[in-house]
Structures are given as structure tokens and as C-alpha cells.
mmCIF file of all heavy atoms in Angstrom:
data_model
loop_
_atom_site.group_PDB
_atom_site.id
_atom_site.type_symbol
_atom_site.label_atom_id
_atom_site.label_comp_id
_atom_site.label_asym_id
_atom_site.label_seq_id
_atom_site.Cartn_x
_atom_site.Cartn_y
_atom_site.Cartn_z
ATOM 1 N N LYS A 1 97.558 56.047 103.788
ATOM 2 C CA LYS A 1 96.264 55.354 103.745
ATOM 3 C C LYS A 1 96.209 54.189 102.765
ATOM 4 O O LYS A 1 95.742 53.111 103.128
ATOM 5 C CB LYS A 1 95.126 56.340 103.483
ATOM 6 C CG LYS A 1 94.859 57.245 104.665
ATOM 7 C CD LYS A 1 93.737 58.216 104.365
ATOM 8 C CE LYS A 1 93.544 59.156 105.545
ATOM 9 N NZ LYS A 1 92.450 60.100 105.324
ATOM 10 N N PRO A 2 96.676 54.338 101.510
ATOM 11 C CA PRO A 2 96.626 53.191 100.599
ATOM 12 C C PRO A 2 97.490 52.029 101.075
ATOM 13 O O PRO A 2 97.107 50.865 100.914
ATOM 14 C CB PRO A 2 97.153 53.747 99.272
ATOM 15 C CG PRO A 2 97.060 55.226 99.377
ATOM 16 C CD PRO A 2 97.152 55.554 100.839
ATOM 17 N N ILE A 3 98.614 52.331 101.680
ATOM 18 C CA ILE A 3 99.492 51.268 102.201
ATOM 19 C C ILE A 3 98.817 50.571 103.379
ATOM 20 O O ILE A 3 98.803 49.339 103.459
ATOM 21 C CB ILE A 3 100.880 51.835 102.576
ATOM 22 C CG1 ILE A 3 101.639 52.202 101.293
ATOM 23 C CG2 ILE A 3 101.667 50.847 103.427
ATOM 24 C CD1 ILE A 3 102.973 52.863 101.516
ATOM 25 N N ILE A 4 98.212 51.335 104.267
ATOM 26 C CA ILE A 4 97.505 50.746 105.423
ATOM 27 C C ILE A 4 96.377 49.833 104.942
ATOM 28 O O ILE A 4 96.215 48.719 105.414
ATOM 29 C CB ILE A 4 96.972 51.841 106.358
ATOM 30 C CG1 ILE A 4 98.137 52.565 107.039
ATOM 31 C CG2 ILE A 4 96.006 51.264 107.392
ATOM 32 C CD1 ILE A 4 97.751 53.814 107.818
ATOM 33 N N ARG A 5 95.603 50.322 103.960
ATOM 34 C CA ARG A 5 94.493 49.510 103.443
ATOM 35 C C ARG A 5 94.990 48.203 102.820
ATOM 36 O O ARG A 5 94.412 47.142 103.027
ATOM 37 C CB ARG A 5 93.690 50.320 102.434
ATOM 38 C CG ARG A 5 92.879 51.413 103.043
ATOM 39 C CD ARG A 5 92.031 52.115 101.974
ATOM 40 N NE ARG A 5 91.436 53.310 102.518
ATOM 41 C CZ ARG A 5 91.595 54.531 102.013
ATOM 42 N NH1 ARG A 5 92.313 54.712 100.921
ATOM 43 N NH2 ARG A 5 91.016 55.568 102.573
ATOM 44 N N ALA A 6 96.059 48.289 102.048
ATOM 45 C CA ALA A 6 96.587 47.097 101.377
ATOM 46 C C ALA A 6 97.122 46.099 102.390
ATOM 47 O O ALA A 6 96.845 44.887 102.301
ATOM 48 C CB ALA A 6 97.676 47.489 100.394
ATOM 49 N N LEU A 7 97.872 46.562 103.382
ATOM 50 C CA LEU A 7 98.437 45.650 104.392
ATOM 51 C C LEU A 7 97.336 45.040 105.259
ATOM 52 O O LEU A 7 97.387 43.867 105.597
ATOM 53 C CB LEU A 7 99.453 46.389 105.264
ATOM 54 C CG LEU A 7 100.718 46.863 104.522
ATOM 55 C CD1 LEU A 7 101.586 47.696 105.453
ATOM 56 C CD2 LEU A 7 101.488 45.696 103.951
ATOM 57 N N THR A 8 96.320 45.824 105.573
ATOM 58 C CA THR A 8 95.184 45.305 106.334
ATOM 59 C C THR A 8 94.445 44.238 105.537
ATOM 60 O O THR A 8 94.029 43.225 106.075
ATOM 61 C CB THR A 8 94.233 46.457 106.722
ATOM 62 O OG1 THR A 8 94.966 47.424 107.496
ATOM 63 C CG2 THR A 8 93.070 45.966 107.551
ATOM 64 N N ALA A 9 94.320 44.452 104.209
ATOM 65 C CA ALA A 9 93.665 43.462 103.350
ATOM 66 C C ALA A 9 94.426 42.137 103.329
ATOM 67 O O ALA A 9 93.845 41.083 103.086
ATOM 68 C CB ALA A 9 93.522 44.008 101.928
ATOM 69 N N LEU A 10 95.742 42.195 103.610
ATOM 70 C CA LEU A 10 96.561 40.982 103.671
ATOM 71 C C LEU A 10 96.478 40.302 105.034
ATOM 72 O O LEU A 10 97.094 39.266 105.243
ATOM 73 C CB LEU A 10 98.025 41.311 103.351
ATOM 74 C CG LEU A 10 98.308 41.730 101.920
ATOM 75 C CD1 LEU A 10 99.748 42.171 101.791
ATOM 76 C CD2 LEU A 10 98.003 40.598 100.961
ATOM 77 N N GLY A 11 95.772 40.906 105.971
ATOM 78 C CA GLY A 11 95.625 40.325 107.304
ATOM 79 C C GLY A 11 96.561 40.904 108.340
ATOM 80 O O GLY A 11 96.605 40.431 109.475
ATOM 81 N N CYS A 12 97.332 41.922 107.976
ATOM 82 C CA CYS A 12 98.270 42.539 108.923
ATOM 83 C C CYS A 12 97.534 43.487 109.862
ATOM 84 O O CYS A 12 96.528 44.097 109.497
ATOM 85 C CB CYS A 12 99.322 43.352 108.180
ATOM 86 S SG CYS A 12 100.389 42.392 107.105
ATOM 87 N N SER A 13 98.067 43.635 111.063
ATOM 88 C CA SER A 13 97.658 44.707 111.951
ATOM 89 C C SER A 13 98.596 45.879 111.669
ATOM 90 O O SER A 13 99.802 45.695 111.542
ATOM 91 C CB SER A 13 97.820 44.292 113.421
ATOM 92 O OG SER A 13 96.984 43.207 113.716
ATOM 93 N N VAL A 14 98.027 47.063 111.547
ATOM 94 C CA VAL A 14 98.823 48.238 111.209
ATOM 95 C C VAL A 14 98.499 49.353 112.199
ATOM 96 O O VAL A 14 97.336 49.717 112.373
ATOM 97 C CB VAL A 14 98.543 48.724 109.770
ATOM 98 C CG1 VAL A 14 99.418 49.920 109.430
ATOM 99 C CG2 VAL A 14 98.758 47.594 108.760
ATOM 100 N N GLN A 15 99.551 49.870 112.842
ATOM 101 C CA GLN A 15 99.394 50.962 113.797
ATOM 102 C C GLN A 15 100.185 52.163 113.318
ATOM 103 O O GLN A 15 101.413 52.120 113.261
ATOM 104 C CB GLN A 15 99.909 50.538 115.169
ATOM 105 C CG GLN A 15 99.860 51.638 116.218
ATOM 106 C CD GLN A 15 98.453 52.101 116.508
ATOM 107 O OE1 GLN A 15 97.572 51.302 116.809
ATOM 108 N NE2 GLN A 15 98.225 53.394 116.405
ATOM 109 N N PRO A 16 99.488 53.262 112.948
ATOM 110 C CA PRO A 16 100.227 54.480 112.625
ATOM 111 C C PRO A 16 100.933 54.995 113.886
ATOM 112 O O PRO A 16 100.384 54.925 114.984
ATOM 113 C CB PRO A 16 99.125 55.456 112.182
ATOM 114 C CG PRO A 16 97.985 54.578 111.772
ATOM 115 C CD PRO A 16 98.059 53.388 112.702
ATOM 116 N N LEU A 17 102.158 55.472 113.710
ATOM 117 C CA LEU A 17 102.937 55.978 114.827
ATOM 118 C C LEU A 17 103.132 57.482 114.649
ATOM 119 O O LEU A 17 103.003 57.998 113.558
ATOM 120 C CB LEU A 17 104.313 55.294 114.855
ATOM 121 C CG LEU A 17 104.311 53.773 114.975
ATOM 122 C CD1 LEU A 17 105.720 53.229 114.836
ATOM 123 C CD2 LEU A 17 103.700 53.352 116.297
ATOM 124 N N SER A 18 103.434 58.137 115.721
ATOM 125 C CA SER A 18 103.764 59.552 115.628
ATOM 126 C C SER A 18 104.861 59.857 116.635
ATOM 127 O O SER A 18 104.980 59.190 117.658
ATOM 128 C CB SER A 18 102.524 60.416 115.895
ATOM 129 O OG SER A 18 102.079 60.212 117.233
ATOM 130 N N GLY A 19 105.644 60.811 116.311
ATOM 131 C CA GLY A 19 106.735 61.194 117.169
ATOM 132 C C GLY A 19 107.851 61.768 116.332
ATOM 133 O O GLY A 19 107.952 61.488 115.134
ATOM 134 N N LYS A 20 108.681 62.548 116.934
ATOM 135 C CA LYS A 20 109.748 63.234 116.210
ATOM 136 C C LYS A 20 110.756 62.216 115.662
ATOM 137 O O LYS A 20 111.477 61.579 116.417
ATOM 138 C CB LYS A 20 110.440 64.211 117.144
ATOM 139 C CG LYS A 20 111.280 65.221 116.461
ATOM 140 C CD LYS A 20 111.734 66.284 117.429
ATOM 141 C CE LYS A 20 112.433 67.381 116.656
ATOM 142 N NZ LYS A 20 112.791 68.488 117.543
ATOM 143 N N GLY A 21 110.745 62.022 114.334
ATOM 144 C CA GLY A 21 111.674 61.118 113.689
ATOM 145 C C GLY A 21 111.246 59.665 113.640
ATOM 146 O O GLY A 21 111.888 58.838 113.012
ATOM 147 N N VAL A 22 110.145 59.328 114.290
ATOM 148 C CA VAL A 22 109.664 57.933 114.364
ATOM 149 C C VAL A 22 109.077 57.505 113.019
ATOM 150 O O VAL A 22 108.411 58.305 112.352
ATOM 151 C CB VAL A 22 108.602 57.817 115.485
ATOM 152 C CG1 VAL A 22 107.989 56.438 115.542
ATOM 153 C CG2 VAL A 22 109.211 58.191 116.822
ATOM 154 N N PRO A 23 109.289 56.250 112.592
ATOM 155 C CA PRO A 23 108.680 55.762 111.344
ATOM 156 C C PRO A 23 107.155 55.890 111.363
ATOM 157 O O PRO A 23 106.544 55.974 112.430
ATOM 158 C CB PRO A 23 109.123 54.299 111.277
ATOM 159 C CG PRO A 23 110.337 54.233 112.124
ATOM 160 C CD PRO A 23 110.125 55.228 113.229
ATOM 161 N N ASP A 24 106.557 55.842 110.178
ATOM 162 C CA ASP A 24 105.120 56.053 110.045
ATOM 163 C C ASP A 24 104.260 54.908 110.585
ATOM 164 O O ASP A 24 103.207 55.145 111.168
ATOM 165 C CB ASP A 24 104.751 56.272 108.576
ATOM 166 C CG ASP A 24 105.316 57.560 108.022
ATOM 167 O OD1 ASP A 24 105.323 58.571 108.756
ATOM 168 O OD2 ASP A 24 105.761 57.558 106.863
ATOM 169 N N LEU A 25 104.696 53.664 110.347
ATOM 170 C CA LEU A 25 103.820 52.527 110.635
ATOM 171 C C LEU A 25 104.526 51.403 111.378
ATOM 172 O O LEU A 25 105.677 51.091 111.084
ATOM 173 C CB LEU A 25 103.270 51.933 109.334
ATOM 174 C CG LEU A 25 102.525 52.877 108.379
ATOM 175 C CD1 LEU A 25 102.187 52.149 107.096
ATOM 176 C CD2 LEU A 25 101.281 53.443 109.034
ATOM 177 N N LEU A 26 103.800 50.787 112.305
ATOM 178 C CA LEU A 26 104.193 49.529 112.921
ATOM 179 C C LEU A 26 103.266 48.475 112.310
ATOM 180 O O LEU A 26 102.042 48.613 112.382
ATOM 181 C CB LEU A 26 104.021 49.576 114.431
ATOM 182 C CG LEU A 26 104.267 48.281 115.195
ATOM 183 C CD1 LEU A 26 105.724 47.834 115.050
ATOM 184 C CD2 LEU A 26 103.920 48.465 116.670
ATOM 185 N N VAL A 27 103.844 47.474 111.676
ATOM 186 C CA VAL A 27 103.071 46.452 110.964
ATOM 187 C C VAL A 27 103.345 45.113 111.603
ATOM 188 O O VAL A 27 104.491 44.758 111.871
ATOM 189 C CB VAL A 27 103.457 46.412 109.468
ATOM 190 C CG1 VAL A 27 102.587 45.415 108.713
ATOM 191 C CG2 VAL A 27 103.355 47.803 108.839
ATOM 192 N N SER A 28 102.280 44.329 111.856
ATOM 193 C CA SER A 28 102.438 43.060 112.553
ATOM 194 C C SER A 28 101.579 41.972 111.922
ATOM 195 O O SER A 28 100.493 42.240 111.411
ATOM 196 C CB SER A 28 102.028 43.236 114.021
ATOM 197 O OG SER A 28 102.041 42.018 114.700
ATOM 198 N N LEU A 29 102.093 40.743 111.977
ATOM 199 C CA LEU A 29 101.337 39.569 111.542
ATOM 200 C C LEU A 29 101.934 38.345 112.207
ATOM 201 O O LEU A 29 103.150 38.140 112.164
ATOM 202 C CB LEU A 29 101.394 39.415 110.015
ATOM 203 C CG LEU A 29 100.607 38.220 109.452
ATOM 204 C CD1 LEU A 29 99.106 38.486 109.573
ATOM 205 C CD2 LEU A 29 100.971 37.969 108.006
ATOM 206 N N ASN A 30 101.110 37.563 112.848
ATOM 207 C CA ASN A 30 101.524 36.300 113.467
ATOM 208 C C ASN A 30 102.738 36.456 114.387
ATOM 209 O O ASN A 30 103.682 35.675 114.345
ATOM 210 C CB ASN A 30 101.823 35.234 112.405
ATOM 211 C CG ASN A 30 100.575 34.886 111.615
ATOM 212 O OD1 ASN A 30 99.469 34.910 112.138
ATOM 213 N ND2 ASN A 30 100.753 34.604 110.334
ATOM 214 N N GLY A 31 102.750 37.488 115.208
ATOM 215 C CA GLY A 31 103.813 37.670 116.167
ATOM 216 C C GLY A 31 105.093 38.302 115.628
ATOM 217 O O GLY A 31 106.066 38.452 116.346
ATOM 218 N N ARG A 32 105.103 38.652 114.372
ATOM 219 C CA ARG A 32 106.272 39.304 113.770
ATOM 220 C C ARG A 32 105.914 40.754 113.477
ATOM 221 O O ARG A 32 104.777 41.056 113.118
ATOM 222 C CB ARG A 32 106.685 38.575 112.494
ATOM 223 C CG ARG A 32 107.137 37.140 112.785
ATOM 224 C CD ARG A 32 107.380 36.370 111.530
ATOM 225 N NE ARG A 32 108.657 36.774 110.931
ATOM 226 C CZ ARG A 32 109.131 36.250 109.823
ATOM 227 N NH1 ARG A 32 108.450 35.321 109.171
ATOM 228 N NH2 ARG A 32 110.288 36.658 109.337
ATOM 229 N N MET A 33 106.892 41.639 113.626
ATOM 230 C CA MET A 33 106.627 43.061 113.423
ATOM 231 C C MET A 33 107.712 43.694 112.575
ATOM 232 O O MET A 33 108.847 43.215 112.536
ATOM 233 C CB MET A 33 106.571 43.791 114.768
ATOM 234 C CG MET A 33 105.369 43.425 115.596
ATOM 235 S SD MET A 33 105.247 44.447 117.072
ATOM 236 C CE MET A 33 106.359 43.567 118.163
ATOM 237 N N LEU A 34 107.344 44.801 111.931
ATOM 238 C CA LEU A 34 108.323 45.611 111.221
ATOM 239 C C LEU A 34 107.895 47.063 111.284
ATOM 240 O O LEU A 34 106.734 47.378 111.522
ATOM 241 C CB LEU A 34 108.493 45.145 109.768
ATOM 242 C CG LEU A 34 107.304 45.222 108.817
ATOM 243 C CD1 LEU A 34 107.227 46.575 108.122
ATOM 244 C CD2 LEU A 34 107.463 44.135 107.760
ATOM 245 N N LEU A 35 108.868 47.948 111.088
ATOM 246 C CA LEU A 35 108.626 49.377 111.033
ATOM 247 C C LEU A 35 108.714 49.834 109.589
ATOM 248 O O LEU A 35 109.579 49.369 108.837
ATOM 249 C CB LEU A 35 109.666 50.133 111.869
ATOM 250 C CG LEU A 35 109.560 49.902 113.369
ATOM 251 C CD1 LEU A 35 110.808 50.419 114.075
ATOM 252 C CD2 LEU A 35 108.316 50.564 113.931
ATOM 253 N N MET A 36 107.811 50.734 109.206
ATOM 254 C CA MET A 36 107.753 51.163 107.819
ATOM 255 C C MET A 36 107.622 52.698 107.756
ATOM 256 O O MET A 36 106.799 53.268 108.467
ATOM 257 C CB MET A 36 106.561 50.505 107.135
ATOM 258 C CG MET A 36 106.514 50.631 105.642
ATOM 259 S SD MET A 36 105.143 49.667 104.922
ATOM 260 C CE MET A 36 105.730 47.997 105.149
ATOM 261 N N GLU A 37 108.434 53.296 106.909
ATOM 262 C CA GLU A 37 108.328 54.732 106.636
ATOM 263 C C GLU A 37 107.768 54.869 105.224
ATOM 264 O O GLU A 37 108.235 54.220 104.285
ATOM 265 C CB GLU A 37 109.719 55.380 106.709
ATOM 266 C CG GLU A 37 109.754 56.826 106.342
ATOM 267 C CD GLU A 37 109.031 57.720 107.327
ATOM 268 O OE1 GLU A 37 108.887 57.358 108.524
ATOM 269 O OE2 GLU A 37 108.593 58.801 106.909
ATOM 270 N N CYS A 38 106.745 55.711 105.055
ATOM 271 C CA CYS A 38 106.102 55.908 103.763
ATOM 272 C C CYS A 38 106.553 57.238 103.168
ATOM 273 O O CYS A 38 106.441 58.278 103.819
ATOM 274 C CB CYS A 38 104.588 55.908 103.923
ATOM 275 S SG CYS A 38 103.925 54.436 104.708
ATOM 276 N N LYS A 39 107.075 57.185 101.945
ATOM 277 C CA LYS A 39 107.511 58.380 101.248
ATOM 278 C C LYS A 39 106.939 58.366 99.835
ATOM 279 O O LYS A 39 106.527 57.326 99.336
ATOM 280 C CB LYS A 39 109.044 58.451 101.158
ATOM 281 C CG LYS A 39 109.737 58.618 102.489
ATOM 282 C CD LYS A 39 109.530 60.010 103.051
ATOM 283 C CE LYS A 39 110.346 60.199 104.324
ATOM 284 N NZ LYS A 39 110.019 61.426 105.006
ATOM 285 N N ALA A 40 106.973 59.514 99.179
ATOM 286 C CA ALA A 40 106.478 59.629 97.823
ATOM 287 C C ALA A 40 107.335 58.786 96.881
ATOM 288 O O ALA A 40 108.522 58.571 97.127
ATOM 289 C CB ALA A 40 106.502 61.094 97.370
ATOM 290 N N PRO A 41 106.744 58.266 95.794
ATOM 291 C CA PRO A 41 107.493 57.432 94.844
ATOM 292 C C PRO A 41 108.496 58.246 94.033
ATOM 293 O O PRO A 41 108.513 59.468 94.060
ATOM 294 C CB PRO A 41 106.405 56.859 93.943
ATOM 295 C CG PRO A 41 105.251 57.775 94.081
ATOM 296 C CD PRO A 41 105.339 58.398 95.441
ATOM 297 N N ALA A 42 109.308 57.513 93.289
ATOM 298 C CA ALA A 42 110.320 58.130 92.429
ATOM 299 C C ALA A 42 109.661 59.038 91.403
ATOM 300 O O ALA A 42 108.550 58.776 90.942
ATOM 301 C CB ALA A 42 111.148 57.049 91.739
ATOM 302 N N GLY A 43 110.361 60.071 91.024
ATOM 303 C CA GLY A 43 109.847 61.020 90.049
ATOM 304 C C GLY A 43 109.892 60.470 88.631
ATOM 305 O O GLY A 43 110.447 59.400 88.383
ATOM 306 N N PRO A 44 109.347 61.206 87.671
ATOM 307 C CA PRO A 44 109.240 60.739 86.280
ATOM 308 C C PRO A 44 110.588 60.483 85.605
ATOM 309 O O PRO A 44 110.669 59.714 84.670
ATOM 310 C CB PRO A 44 108.467 61.847 85.583
ATOM 311 C CG PRO A 44 108.597 63.036 86.453
ATOM 312 C CD PRO A 44 108.802 62.530 87.852
ATOM 313 N N LEU A 45 111.658 61.097 86.088
ATOM 314 C CA LEU A 45 112.967 60.899 85.484
ATOM 315 C C LEU A 45 113.782 59.865 86.240
ATOM 316 O O LEU A 45 114.979 59.713 86.012
ATOM 317 C CB LEU A 45 113.725 62.236 85.403
ATOM 318 C CG LEU A 45 113.046 63.316 84.575
ATOM 319 C CD1 LEU A 45 113.839 64.613 84.629
ATOM 320 C CD2 LEU A 45 112.868 62.852 83.134
ATOM 321 N N GLY A 46 113.131 59.155 87.158
ATOM 322 C CA GLY A 46 113.819 58.097 87.889
ATOM 323 C C GLY A 46 114.395 58.525 89.219
ATOM 324 O O GLY A 46 114.792 57.703 90.013
ATOM 325 N N GLY A 47 114.429 59.802 89.485
ATOM 326 C CA GLY A 47 114.948 60.278 90.760
ATOM 327 C C GLY A 47 113.878 60.212 91.839
ATOM 328 O O GLY A 47 112.723 59.988 91.574
ATOM 329 N N VAL A 48 114.305 60.420 93.049
ATOM 330 C CA VAL A 48 113.338 60.421 94.143
ATOM 331 C C VAL A 48 112.649 61.779 94.185
ATOM 332 O O VAL A 48 113.194 62.767 93.727
ATOM 333 C CB VAL A 48 114.021 60.144 95.502
ATOM 334 C CG1 VAL A 48 113.221 59.198 96.317
ATOM 335 C CG2 VAL A 48 115.393 59.592 95.346
#
């Protein structure tokens, strides 16, 4: 949700995806697209 809100605020179209193994988001702007997977940030000791 925070990523979707931020990208939408930049003018991007964001479509959440679902499916076995499929990335979380399809992001588009001005005819260009990318796929994005959202995961938790690195831990306090620098690891994932």
C-alpha cells in the first residue's frame, strides 16, 4: 500500500497482480511499464 500510494502520487498507474509466483505490481507511466515485487526491508543488522 505505501508503495502504491507513492507511485500513484508520482503519476504512475499501478495495478496489483495476483497469481502463483507473479510479481506484486505492474507499474506504468507514459507507455512504459515495469514489474515490481515488494518485500520487507533489511533487518537491523543489515541482513534481509
Side-chain angles (χ1 to χ4, degrees):
K1 290 180 183 181
I3 289 176
I4 292 171
R5 288 184 190 124
L7 295 175
T8 302
L10 292 174
C12 297
S13 297
V14 182
Q15 176 63 52
L17 302 173
S18 63
K20 196 171 187 175
V22 176
D24 293 321
L25 305 174
L26 174 64
V27 184
S28 174
L29 181 71
N30 297 327
R32 296 173 76 180
M33 291 187 276
L34 63 88
L35 292 167
M36 191 175 289
E37 176 67 25
C38 304
K39 294 289 185 189
L45 300 177
V48 223

